[in-house]
Amino acid sequence: MSTPSRYWREIPQRYRLEANKCNRCKLIFFPPRLLCPECKNRDLEKTKLAEKGEVITYTIIRVPPAQFSDQAPYAVGIIELKDGVNLTGQIVDCAFDDIKIGMKVKLEFRKLFEQGHAGILCYGYKFVPD
Amino acid sequence: MRDVAVIGIGMTKWGELWKKSLRDIYVETALLALEDAGIDRIDSMYIGSMSSGLFVGQEHIASLLADYLGQLPVPATRVETACASGGLALRLGFMEVASGMSDVVLASGVEKMTDVGGDEATYALGTAADQEYEGYQGITFPGLYALIARAHMQKYGTTREQLAKVAVKNHHNGLKNPLAQYQFEITVEAVLNSVKVADPLNILDCSPITDGAAAAIICPADMARKMGKPLIKVIGTGHATDTIQISQRKDMTWLEATYQAAKQAYAMADKKPEDIDLIEVHDCFTIAEICVTEALGIVEKGKGGEAVEAGLTAMEGKIPVNTSGGLKSKGHPVGATGIAQVVEVTKQLRGEAGERQVKDARVGMTQNMGGSGGSSVVHILERE
Amino acid sequence: MEGIIGYGAYIPRNRIKVEEIAKVWGADAPSYKRGLMLEEKSVPSPDQDTITMSVEASKNALKRAKIDPADIGALYIGSESHPYAVKPSGTVVAEALGVTPEAHTADFEFACKAGTEGMFVALNLVKAGVIKFGMGIGADTSQGAPGDALEYSAAAGAAAFIFGRDKIVAKIVDTYAYMTDTPDFWRREYQYYPQHGGRFTGEPAYFKHVTGAARGIMQNNDMKPEDFNYVIFHQPNGKFPLRVGKMLGFKKEQIEPGWLVNKLGNTYSGSSPLGLAATLDIAKPGDMLLLVSYGSGAGSDAFIFKVTDRIEEVRNLAPLTRDLLDKNKNYLEYGEYAKFRRKIRKAD
């Protein structure tokens, strides 16, 4: 089990969707990087991702990794947010049959998993129907 | 740069090898390659292994395996690009021989996957994805390819049946490969009705969990000629990368790293897709084979599904793909897969592929892929 | 002038009906429904807890308050189901909202009264001029032991209130607190389910403290039940708030807008705060509201609010509480509910 540092470090991204915007080519990207993936510029500013978007592809995970074994089956999709950023995340609070490409979703704060019975609780974003 | 030839290959029967440890499997296989080459000493060795740490709790395996193979103190290097580790081992070995740095190099791969439970294996394989932004959300390896499959179906109208036909074809081929893990035929219906893993992919769309190793001995072509070996030359190599998060790609249905790696290999070998007689591709999931054939330029973008359906890539088709049975039927001990592809192509070019021999095979290609396409290694081999 | 500048609610979409629980334990559903005036209750998904619901309720409150979260000087969460025994819920919520680092936070626990405690302290810190904005949240994913009467009511939900001095939605007229040591309901350290004193939770506990607080604050302000448009009481079941209202001289119509319990269950620390949110959803400028919470152990906090013109502007900036309650419901069977609430013993 990793120390909490690894979790803690990602809090701005996972809790608040903090991203970067390139001051040259204006690309918004997530998670933040030290240089723009498109134009390699290092002059970047902090921004927040849009909290709404639509499903561009999805799957239902029925054979989960160990940490998610209590949750299966669950849906995971790639969501194109309104600012053009694509994000991978679970789609919850709807029947699997209702999930469609093009479906409108919004972000909600949820618990992703627990580090065993005694470890830290790991929070972040998931998507719910909008 | 010196020309490089494959002078020895080794592979044992793959599967759930309960009695054998990682080192047992590896040494047994590497010895076959040494015997095949008719040598007992090498100058250097490369071992592709994705995750011996997570699968058997052992790192530093290069020295361990050099020792057990009786080759101390040769330099031994473990290389890792997830499931493309094997292909990369060959590429690095090729560079070492071509450069003149070494003469005889063992390019190999191994993975012992059954010493952990299913959910742990799922986790270990999942580490090929972006752990902080894909793994954290509970995505799995089949899940990533399922995301690609759904997008491909949406964009190009690829059907569930076309995906199934990849598995059916590869099982059909694997039936004739005595080293394959699964030597049985399956039907489209069986694939469609098999247990769901990550919709739209079912268990029969997925390559299995496998223990196994594969090995190839390479040396300068001149040396091979003097040894009187059938001359199977490595005439092209390519390696490229892409984002490991599929959500960050401009087109999720397109394997850019494979396209780029193939471009390099074609240029180096001075070959075009139509010059290739057979290909071993990385069909870790049925959708992968469809996307790879597109990226290699064998079929048009978006036509991979139709091509399988039309039998283009079948044994008797225009360009046989995965005559070995592919990862699907032969098995997929991740680090070993890239080398096993070279073993198959070498057998075909030597004319030693038995019942599955492609007639007059002269030029063969291998394509080995890491993660959901974040890395890809392509080689072109030719019989002189 | 101080008061509420933004409010928000959150209710999970899962529900379980009284009949579904009664069926498992061989209990008589109609008598439970009559006796407790409960039809169904909300159930959190496995990925929802006090922290996640607090974040969502707070985001809804921020939508109405339209302030920079960084200006919030204190954030208090009241709950009897804080996910950690040691480590605050408040830090996670504050971090998710962008309130950190210049803020004070504390997790409150006082059975079902913890939510209004957080509101009480946040509001009074604003009043004292210590902070510009303060946030009080009541949230719970409460547990009732399988087969116990509490299992029919223990529900999940959250409500968040932001207090400030300008752009007020409901002005605070007065606050009041009333408490004694009365062990009517408790949960010892390391115990999974709470214990309660049965009928002892009624007269000497709930009724004594709720009437004590209500009468105290009305007397201090020289007000009578008829001076209020609406009153919100803690709602451990359907009957208690109606009965206590009658005892105090309130009419059913004054209670009903904030009476959510028949379809929601008892959301513990979220109970009376959610009732207040639902009442604000329908209140008109000038309306007078009385809020009286109750927490076992035991005590009540009382608040008098006067609704301002701004209510009309902010009401529709976030989901209405009744919509969260009535729309997009997902009914669970007992097996699924037991799995969600971890009532099934699994292999390690």
Side-chain angles (χ1 to χ4, degrees):
Chain A
M1 194 171 288
S2 53
T3 68
S5 54
R6 183 173 171 189
Y7 172 77
W8 166 80
R9 203 177 293 129
E10 304 295 326
I11 281 176
Q13 289 79 259
R14 292 195 182 132
Y15 287 16
R16 296 193 297 273
L17 286 302
E18 282 188 13
N20 274 154
K21 185 178 179 184
C22 173
N23 281 328
R24 188 158 74 196
C25 75
K26 307 299 172 202
L27 181 77
I28 296 173
F29 53 92
F30 179 90
R33 305 174 180 218
L34 294 181
L35 41 95
C36 170
E38 200 60 48
C39 75
K40 322 302 174 201
N41 170 36
R42 294 196 207 179
D43 176 19
L44 310 167
E45 66 175 85
K46 207 158 82 175
T47 183
K48 259 197 76 178
L49 294 182
E51 300 208 347
K52 292 184 177 205
E54 61 175 69
V55 176
I56 54 173
T57 184
Y58 67 95
T59 180
I60 315 299
I61 304 289
R62 298 177 189 273
V63 182
Q67 274 171 323
F68 292 83
S69 53
D70 279 355
Q71 301 181 35
Y74 52 87
V76 178
I78 295 179
I79 314 303
E80 184 177 350
L81 298 176
K82 287 197 167 159
D83 48 24
V85 174
N86 287 356
L87 210 55
T88 306
Q90 288 191 25
I91 304 165
V92 296
D93 278 14
C94 58
F96 295 150
D97 286 346
D98 293 339
I99 303 175
K100 299 276 181 292
I101 291 176
M103 173 188 177
K104 306 267 185 249
V105 292
K106 60 179 179 184
L107 283 157
E108 258 195 36
F109 193 77
R110 297 286 174 114
K111 184 170 68 187
L112 273 296
F113 57 92
E114 302 176 359
Q115 293 192 350
H117 293 303
I120 61 164
L121 306 172
C122 296
Y123 294 95
Y125 50 81
K126 289 189 183 181
F127 294 95
V128 299
D130 185 17
Chain B
M1 226 167 47
R2 303 193 288 182
D3 282 353
V4 176
V6 178
I7 55 164
I9 48 173
M11 188 175 150
T12 56
K13 170 91 176 168
W14 282 2
E16 294 171 316
L17 309 178
W18 303 115
K19 278 187 167 176
K20 292 179 187 171
S21 67
L22 183 141
R23 64 188 87 174
D24 295 338
I25 297 167
Y26 181 83
V27 173
E28 197 177 58
T29 304
L31 285 174
L32 285 178
L34 288 169
E35 280 163 26
D36 185 45
I39 56 169
D40 56 12
R41 289 298 297 171
I42 54 175
D43 297 323
S44 171
M45 59 193 278
Y46 288 90
I47 300 134
S49 160
M50 175 185 163
S51 195
S52 58
L54 289 175
F55 285 119
V56 295
Q58 179 73 61
E59 307 292 11
H60 207 182
I61 60 168
S63 297
L64 176 85
L65 299 177
D67 180 12
Y68 276 71
L69 190 58
Q71 297 293 333
L72 294 179
V74 298
T77 310
R78 172 181 162 192
V79 298
E80 188 274 312
T81 42
C83 314
S85 303
L88 187 61
L90 177 68
R91 179 174 158 88
L92 295 181
F94 171 90
M95 285 157 70
E96 190 166 327
V97 173
S99 71
M101 193 91 140
S102 296
D103 284 334
V104 183
V105 172
L106 167 59
S108 57
V110 63
E111 214 78 57
K112 170 73 191 174
M113 300 173 75
T114 58
D115 279 354
V116 294
D119 55 355
E120 285 174 81
T122 299
Y123 168 76
L125 292 169
T127 61
D130 185 328
Q131 279 295 84
E132 304 295 6
Y133 292 93
E134 288 178 321
Y136 190 79
Q137 294 286 338
I139 196 74
T140 59
F141 213 56
L144 290 169
Y145 277 95
L147 293 173
I148 294 174
R150 180 97 60 191
H152 203 280
M153 291 162 95
Q154 171 84 5
K155 187 167 179 181
Y156 297 114
T158 303
T159 65
R160 203 26 286 225
E161 285 72 19
Q162 289 169 347
L163 294 176
K165 279 179 178 158
V166 173
V168 171
K169 167 182 77 70
N170 291 347
H171 267 262
H172 179 72
N173 293 350
L175 197 61
K176 294 174 181 146
N177 181 354
L179 302 183
Q181 178 171 11
Y182 292 143
Q183 278 186 274
F184 53 80
E185 296 262 14
I186 56 171
T187 60
V188 168
E189 204 183 16
V191 179
L192 299 186
N193 293 327
S194 64
V195 173
K196 291 176 177 184
V197 172
D199 313 18
L201 302 180
N202 296 346
I203 189 82
L204 287 179
D205 288 290
C206 307
S207 55
I209 300 282
T210 310
D211 299 326
I217 311 279
I218 54 174
C219 73
D222 288 345
M223 184 190 273
R225 227 173 256 121
K226 279 180 204 148
M227 290 167 79
K229 293 280 169 191
L231 207 61
I232 310 299
K233 283 163 60 177
V234 180
I235 58 168
T237 174
H239 177 205
T241 50
D242 197 357
T243 66
I244 69 169
Q245 257 205 70
I246 57 171
S247 67
Q248 304 302 300
R249 296 178 195 160
K250 290 195 174 74
D251 178 356
M252 287 183 296
T253 64
W254 179 246
L255 297 169
E256 180 68 17
T258 295
Y259 169 75
Q260 293 291 345
K263 202 165 114 179
Q264 293 166 28
Y266 283 131
M268 185 171 171
D270 193 23
K271 299 283 182 199
K272 296 186 292 296
E274 48 271 34
D275 299 328
I276 311 292
D277 297 320
L278 76 143
I279 315 178
E280 285 289 300
V281 308
H282 197 94
D283 60 320
C284 47
F285 300 92
T286 48
I287 181 65
E289 180 168 317
I290 286 173
C291 294
V292 167
T293 54
E294 294 173 17
L296 294 178
I298 300 305
V299 299
E300 260 177 71
K301 212 174 195 176
K303 304 275 190 205
E306 287 173 32
V308 179
E309 193 155 40
L312 183 95
T313 53
M315 201 74 186
E316 318 69 33
K318 192 171 143 221
I319 168 94
V321 170
N322 283 333
T323 55
S324 69
L327 284 56
K328 178 70 201 81
S329 151
K330 184 178 56 192
H332 182 30
V334 278
T337 284
I339 297 294
Q341 294 176 330
V342 174
V343 167
E344 173 68 10
V345 168
T346 303
K347 278 184 186 167
Q348 289 283 358
L349 300 186
R350 283 179 180 176
E352 294 173 358
E355 277 189 87
R356 62 184 194 283
Q357 181 64 48
V358 174
K359 212 169 153 239
D360 301 326
R362 212 177 65 80
V363 182
M365 187 180 218
T366 63
Q367 182 275 336
N368 187 202
M369 189 153 61
S372 56
S375 59
S376 195
V377 181
V378 171
H379 283 100
I380 300 174
L381 284 75
E382 186 176 34
R383 173 169 49 85
E384 194 179 81
Chain C
M1 183 167 91
E2 295 85 14
I4 297 168
I5 60 164
Y7 68 97
Y10 186 83
I11 299 169
R13 71 190 286 258
N14 305 306
R15 301 284 183 278
I16 188 164
K17 286 183 180 290
V18 164
E19 288 86 345
E20 183 65 22
I21 300 172
K23 187 172 78 184
V24 172
W25 302 110
D28 180 41
S31 64
Y32 264 99
K33 290 173 79 171
R34 262 195 323 271
L36 297 172
M37 294 180 79
L38 290 174
E39 291 172 40
E40 59 193 51
K41 67 167 191 172
S42 65
V43 180
S45 290
D47 62 357
Q48 294 177 310
D49 61 21
T50 285
I51 288 175
T52 66
M53 294 191 307
S54 293
V55 170
E56 291 303 320
S58 300
K59 282 186 174 172
N60 286 334
L62 280 165
K63 282 178 197 159
R64 290 191 172 109
K66 294 201 269 188
I67 57 163
D68 181 353
D71 290 336
I72 293 173
L75 183 150
Y76 300 121
I77 303 176
S79 180
E80 62 113 70
S81 50
H82 290 290
Y84 286 98
V86 176
K87 196 210 161 295
S89 301
T91 50
V92 183
V93 175
E95 199 74 66
L97 299 177
V99 171
T100 54
E102 285 187 285
H104 189 247
T105 190
D107 288 2
F108 286 84
E109 188 282 309
F110 192 146
C112 300
K113 178 170 98 76
T116 59
E117 284 188 308
M119 292 163 64
F120 191 100
V121 176
L123 168 62
N124 282 305
L125 280 174
V126 171
K127 254 182 147 173
V130 176
I131 54 173
K132 188 174 177 192
F133 301 119
M135 196 156 188
I137 305 161
D140 256 311
T141 53
S142 42
Q143 283 275 23
D148 188 90
L150 280 182
E151 192 178 24
Y152 296 89
S153 61
F161 296 86
I162 304 173
F163 303 97
R165 277 183 285 278
D166 304 315
K167 295 190 180 171
I168 283 168
V169 172
K171 172 187 176 318
I172 185 73
V173 177
D174 199 11
T175 58
Y176 182 85
Y178 183 97
M179 61 98 177
T180 67
D181 187 38
T182 307
D184 60 324
F185 169 103
W186 63 92
R187 181 165 63 82
R188 291 267 302 279
E189 185 96 283
Y190 309 120
Q191 291 297 303
Y192 198 60
Y193 298 114
Q195 303 272 319
H196 57 84
R199 290 187 59 79
F200 180 66
T201 59
E203 192 274 320
Y206 179 87
F207 293 103
K208 172 182 161 182
H209 294 84
V210 172
T211 55
R215 285 183 181 129
I217 199 167
M218 285 194 286
Q219 193 177 338
N220 288 357
N221 290 277
D222 201 17
M223 291 176 80
K224 299 180 295 299
E226 50 270 33
D227 296 329
F228 294 95
N229 300 81
Y230 302 108
V231 61
I232 303 101
F233 298 113
H234 173 55
Q235 305 160 32
N237 54 54
K239 230 165 198 176
F240 276 24
L242 295 180
R243 191 190 296 166
V244 86
K246 205 170 173 187
M247 284 163 71
L248 288 163
F250 288 94
K251 294 194 178 71
K252 214 176 163 191
E253 300 74 58
Q254 289 168 284
I255 301 172
E256 265 171 349
W259 189 77
L260 309 171
V261 60
N262 62 324
K263 296 280 187 186
L264 175 62
N266 178 7
T267 54
Y268 286 47
S269 302
S271 176
S272 55
L274 276 164
L276 175 61
T279 306
L280 286 169
D281 283 344
I282 56 98
K284 291 184 184 57
D287 280 356
M288 297 297 295
L289 315 182
L290 173 63
L291 167 69
V292 186
S293 65
Y294 173 71
S296 290
S300 287
D301 297 327
F303 302 72
I304 297 173
F305 294 106
K306 185 176 185 184
V307 179
T308 73
D309 295 346
R310 193 163 174 267
I311 190 72
E312 311 280 9
E313 284 170 45
V314 308
R315 197 180 340 249
N316 292 314
L317 297 178
L320 300 177
T321 311
R322 288 277 177 188
D323 287 347
L324 292 169
L325 188 61
D326 297 335
K327 292 182 180 169
N328 190 32
K329 289 193 275 194
N330 177 44
Y331 284 97
L332 303 177
E333 292 183 353
Y334 193 88
E336 205 175 358
Y337 159 76
K339 177 182 152 190
F340 279 18
R341 300 307 288 137
R342 300 188 175 184
K343 292 172 193 271
I344 300 174
R345 183 179 288 262
K346 292 187 68 188
D348 271 335

